[in-house]
Amino acid sequence: MKKTNKIGIFICDRYRRCAGGKCFKSLKNREGAFSRYKDMNVEVVGYTSCDGCPGGNIEYAVDEMKANGANVIHLATGLIVGYPPCPHIVYFHDYIERKYGLEVVYGTHPIPEKYLKMHEKLGTWNNDEWQGIIGATMNDEKMRLAYN
């Protein structure tokens, strides 16, 4: 029997009306940051927004996700590609890992091509820290275009 990973997903509150289409498509297809689960079962046990800057829901919603069995938390791609990207994303990552002992993954679905092009023009991700953050969601152009 394959291991089942139970995951929670946090999205940026700017996108609070998002139904999760790109995230759930990429989870189903094991693309973007979800490619790590290629040979595993995955169950989503929580999907919510950070509740807006500075991310007050991060403190509370992880409790529920963990109670529901979450062993991995994903900080959605929307936190990475927004204009500007989430200024608290590294803090969220570190806070969840340290307080809850859970693995935290940057990203969900592949970065859409249109966001990559704009952030390249802006120079947003031109440092080592951001290169580490975008790594799991930086797919080839064909994949990025499929998520535009």
Side-chain angles (χ1 to χ4, degrees), residues 51-65:
D51 196 34
C53 288
N57 206 26
I58 300 292
E59 184 177 356
Y60 303 106
V62 180
D63 281 326
E64 184 176 334
M65 292 177 185

Side-chain angles (χ1 to χ4, degrees), residues 74-145:
H74 281 262
L75 301 175
T77 300
L79 291 159
I80 297 168
V81 300
Y83 303 111
C86 176
H88 307 291
I89 194 168
V90 173
Y91 183 84
F92 293 166
H93 177 280
D94 295 347
Y95 175 81
I96 294 166
E97 277 192 346
R98 290 185 185 125
K99 180 170 183 178
Y100 296 98
L102 297 174
E103 181 180 5
V104 181
V105 176
Y106 290 117
T108 49
H109 63 78
I111 291 173
E113 182 73 5
K114 62 187 175 186
Y115 287 97
L116 174 64
K117 294 297 183 195
M118 191 65 224
H119 282 291
E120 284 177 342
K121 287 179 185 177
L122 293 168
T124 308
W125 303 324
N126 291 346
N127 64 55
D128 291 340
E129 183 173 58
W130 274 103
Q131 288 301 301
I133 291 169
I134 66 173
T137 55
M138 185 59 68
N139 296 91
D140 63 29
E141 183 179 15
K142 181 179 177 184
M143 179 74 65
R144 293 190 307 267
L145 286 168

